[in-house]
Amino acid sequence: MIDIDRLSPVPLFRQIYERIRAAIAVGQLRPGERLPSARSLAAQLGAARGTVEAAFGMLAGEGWIVPRGAAGTIVAPRLGPAPLAAPRPRIDLPAADPMPRPFRMGLPALDAFPRGLWARLVAREARALGFSYPDPAGDHGLREAIAAYLAVSRGIVCLPGQIVVTAGYQGALSLIARAMIEPGTPVWIEDPGYHLTRLGLAAAGARLVPVPVDAEGMRVEAAPEPARFAFVTPSHQAPLGVPLSLPRRLALLSWAEANDAAIVEDDYDGEFHYAGRPLPALKSLDRGDVVLYAGSFSKVLFPGLRLGYLVVPARLVGRFAEAAMRFTAGCGALEQRVVARFMSEGHFARHLKRMRGLYAARRAALATALADVFGGGLRIELQSGGMHLLARTDAPDTELVALAEQHRLAPAALSAHAVAADCGSGLLLSFTNIPETQATAMARALHQAIGHHL
Amino acid sequence: MIDIDRLSPVPLFRQIYERIRAAIAVGQLRPGERLPSARSLAAQLGAARGTVEAAFGMLAGEGWIVPRGAAGTIVAPRLGPAPLAAPRPRIDLPAADPMPRPFRMGLPALDAFPRGLWARLVAREARALGFSYPDPAGDHGLREAIAAYLAVSRGIVCLPGQIVVTAGYQGALSLIARAMIEPGTPVWIEDPGYHLTRLGLAAAGARLVPVPVDAEGMRVEAAPEPARFAFVTPSHQAPLGVPLSLPRRLALLSWAEANDAAIVEDDYDGEFHYAGRPLPALKSLDRGDVVLYAGSFSKVLFPGLRLGYLVVPARLVGRFAEAAMRFTAGCGALEQRVVARFMSEGHFARHLKRMRGLYAARRAALATALADVFGGGLRIELQSGGMHLLARTDAPDTELVALAEQHRLAPAALSAHAVAADCGSGLLLSFTNIPETQATAMARALHQAIGHHL
């Protein structure tokens, strides 16, 4: 009845939720109709009962289904205008979740964000807010603050006018696609690599050319065919965590200059480096002005902001300003001003410094705990930076992830990041939201979930 | 030296600003080089001196150029890291503008927005904010509030799950393009029509099929060829202001049902109707579930929010949820919650009611003043709703707009909205930001700028 895709990056509970919601929406499930129990549906799907219950919880919270206790669960009898008084979902929806599921990738430490300070800045800026259309390329004060930060922290010298504020990394990707990528344009992508880059480029009609990644990052010389763009994660390759080596950086820049190509540097977590100072950005070596640098506030502040930015080469300033005006009309004014204030008042630099210390401690604690609990069953690859550990294993990683999900743990599968080449099996384990005091307990919980399968 | 495009929707001062900025960025103008004076550049371009000065003001504010008094203006000698202490631009940039230029289209009354109330709600929500990734399809409370509002005010019955919150209308357009439009897909658009719809669809690779518009809206029966989509503005056609008549509405719906096509209803200003109640949305007649309804908060709240929404047919819920997850990762969490609160506490309905009264008064005052001042030189077409007047004229409207711009007035040219067919000459004059007490003065200012040319 429900088809689910275990290789999808979409969590299982969400897939189940979407399928049932769609079935009700199209009338395949009728008002008043009884649903199978969570237990029996879980058995049918080979999923954990908790996974199905999470999906049911979301559906009930949105008023699609009604739990009737011992009488089972039915499709809501009256699907009319919004059930305004419906109870809000109680399960750990991403947006409302105080602590995310253990090991969940891509989130900064949600327990360590200075909420009170942020709320005060928001309140202050809200009183002085302009209400008209914002500058499509971004709030000017924010662009100034970003330029100053990049010069000091990432070795990038640019003018505020070269910065375009975007709706996170995905907004930056969309804007690049709109401004520069024609259908059929060949683009080098990392293999393995970040799936949202792949999906965004594919949707723009780009021809994806996977280039293998080894311990020094993208193997520029091994690219199977020419391209007009290269999308890379030089600070810590996503997902392997290795930095792009200096020879490879220079080779990539030479390639772009010689071939009139452009490089997009996705610096999603470049700030989080634990051995010495963060590496300067690839963009800092860019004498030919061939690099577009994409930064995001999702990891260094919080993802609910949906703010990021692009540094574009001087020759492309006009083209990107035009694209922003035509295709986005810019980002919300209020939070741009709050981020600008957070940066210009020095809070940002302090927050980054605190997070580097916190993450170094959480990373070490989790790595130690995993080694203690698993012995050789998981081989931890401790890279010099980033927000997750890579634990190699010989067991099939997608099966391990499915097992972990049944225990409400959220590691990701390395193999799901492969494009054309096999990158082996491994678990990606984020440590950012696991306090040191919980590291051993979480390692044990993971062992309980998957240990018998290694 | 500088090429400007008088037909572009981009204001002249902004075009000049962009061109000079690009010339400096690419090194065509070198550090320390002297610029022509505003007076002589204005003469070269046939623009007003004030227009050039506005561009210079922005450039100086961003640190690209340095005014040296009697010694003229030079390109900044040192273009290094961000000039953090640079003075902020003092000219009326859209984002910071307390009152926009007279007649400027597309803005709600910025002087009548309840700023204090808004700031209080923002401050309250900021303290309770979740920091993780928001639901890509939108904050659940906001979707509930929108569904309830649509049922009461626009005659649309839908579930919160059918609503996707977007980054304004342009975000909705992008999402539709990503989810549904393949390169080459034929799409009916209104002729004349809204240029951003045209640009967004063209960028998505759609084949645009202009369909003529008359006094009853889109002439469905006059479409020159079949299509898979129709993009329409049924409440008040943009730019002509006429509502789509009931027979045309039914014809359009029948067409879509018979041809397995979809209609996108852009209801940008449907709330502002001055003769009786607002017309129900086209979507309210949609028995076949073929209409995607696009609403925006830019006109009913304020554009700096960058929030809008789509109501999608039940069968497309899953596809749009997937597209939102892949391509946008959602909108900022904070302001979604503020809007939800503004709606659920009743402020939204009160604000709309107030604005309908205010706009009716401002519209009547401006129409009267224009008739008094211009006599028959401008023929006012007073439609039943909307946020602007259409003033027909026999003089070429783009020339009138250029003249008005020299007096810092911002009417728009009707002819710039034409696609394939000639729609005649006329000025689009927004009344939303012209208080009744200023209507006569503004009509006179416009007459002074263009009267001799009629």
Side-chain angles (χ1 to χ4, degrees), chain B residues 176-392:
Chain B
I176 293 170
R178 295 291 203 183
M180 302 189 71
I181 296 184
E182 306 280 327
T185 304
V187 178
W188 286 353
I189 56 169
E190 295 172 327
D191 184 4
Y194 183 45
H195 68 282
L196 288 180
T197 298
R198 206 155 71 224
L199 289 170
L201 289 170
R207 194 155 55 77
L208 302 182
V209 181
V211 180
V213 170
D214 66 14
E216 292 186 49
M218 183 184 261
R219 290 180 54 207
V220 179
E221 82 293 351
E225 53 178 294
R228 309 281 308 142
F229 289 87
F231 277 69
V232 286
T233 50
S235 291
H236 310 112
Q237 202 272 335
L240 296 178
V242 298
L244 189 65
S245 69
L246 186 59
R248 294 276 175 85
R249 287 176 187 233
L250 298 175
L252 195 59
L253 291 168
S254 303
W255 161 79
E257 287 178 32
N259 294 280
D260 200 18
I263 299 165
V264 178
E265 172 173 26
D266 171 8
D267 196 29
Y268 67 109
D269 73 350
E271 279 292 353
F272 301 125
H273 201 80
Y274 312 109
R277 287 176 57 81
L279 295 176
L282 173 63
K283 175 72 185 166
S284 70
L285 300 172
D286 179 24
R287 301 292 160 244
D289 215 7
V290 293
V291 176
L292 286 79
Y293 175 92
S296 170
F297 290 110
S298 293
K299 310 287 189 284
V300 287
L301 292 175
F302 59 94
L305 264 183
R306 309 305 312 125
L307 284 178
Y309 54 90
L310 269 178
V311 180
V312 303
R315 70 182 182 285
L316 297 176
V317 161
R319 195 195 293 195
F320 272 84
E322 178 97 1
M325 179 153 35
R326 290 183 168 196
F327 300 120
T328 76
C331 296
L334 174 62
E335 282 175 311
Q336 289 194 67
R337 291 177 62 108
V338 177
V339 177
R341 187 64 68 116
F342 194 79
M343 296 179 91
S344 67
E345 291 187 356
H347 307 300
F348 187 59
R350 277 191 292 278
H351 180 62
L352 282 177
K353 194 173 164 205
R354 265 188 67 222
M355 290 305 102
R356 272 194 289 268
L358 185 78
Y359 291 167
R362 290 186 173 183
R363 170 171 167 274
L366 185 62
T368 306
L370 288 169
D372 288 350
V373 170
F374 281 87
L378 286 179
R379 299 182 299 281
I380 310 295
E381 291 189 4
L382 202 61
Q383 305 297 352
S384 53
M387 298 168 73
H388 69 270
L389 301 174
L390 169 56
R392 296 271 188 184

Side-chain angles (χ1 to χ4, degrees), chain A residues 25 62 64 94-95 107 115 122 129 131-133 140 159 170 174 178 302-304 306 314 326 328-329 332-335, chain B residues 25 62 64 94-95 115 122 129 131-133 140 159 170 174 178 199 302-304 306 314 326 328-329 332-335:
Chain A
E62 294 186 5
W64 294 88
L107 288 174
R115 287 162 189 264
V122 168
L129 188 62
F131 287 94
S132 186
Y133 279 93
H140 191 66
L159 283 162
Q170 284 162 293
S174 278
R178 295 290 202 183
F302 59 93
R306 307 307 310 129
R326 289 183 168 197
T328 76
L334 174 63
E335 282 177 310
Chain B
E62 295 186 5
W64 294 89
R115 286 162 190 265
V122 168
L129 187 63
F131 286 95
S132 187
Y133 279 92
H140 191 66
L159 282 163
Q170 285 163 293
S174 278
R178 295 291 203 183
L199 289 170
F302 59 94
R306 309 305 312 125
R326 290 183 168 196
T328 76
L334 174 62
E335 282 175 311

Side-chain angles (χ1 to χ4, degrees), chain A residues 327-350:
Chain A
F327 300 121
T328 76
C331 296
L334 174 63
E335 282 177 310
Q336 290 194 66
R337 291 177 62 111
V338 176
V339 176
R341 187 64 69 116
F342 194 80
M343 296 179 92
S344 67
E345 291 187 356
H347 307 299
F348 187 59
R350 277 191 291 278

Side-chain angles (χ1 to χ4, degrees), chain A residues 197-274:
Chain A
T197 298
R198 208 154 70 224
L199 289 170
L201 290 169
R207 195 154 55 79
L208 302 181
V209 180
V211 179
V213 170
D214 65 13
E216 292 186 47
M218 182 184 263
R219 291 179 53 207
V220 180
E221 83 293 352
E225 54 178 292
R228 310 280 309 142
F229 290 87
F231 277 70
V232 287
T233 50
S235 291
H236 310 111
Q237 201 272 335
L240 296 178
V242 298
L244 188 65
S245 70
L246 186 59
R248 293 274 174 85
R249 286 177 187 234
L250 298 174
L252 195 59
L253 291 167
S254 302
W255 162 78
E257 287 179 32
N259 294 281
D260 200 18
I263 299 165
V264 178
E265 173 174 25
D266 171 8
D267 197 29
Y268 66 109
D269 72 350
E271 280 292 352
F272 300 125
H273 202 82
Y274 312 108

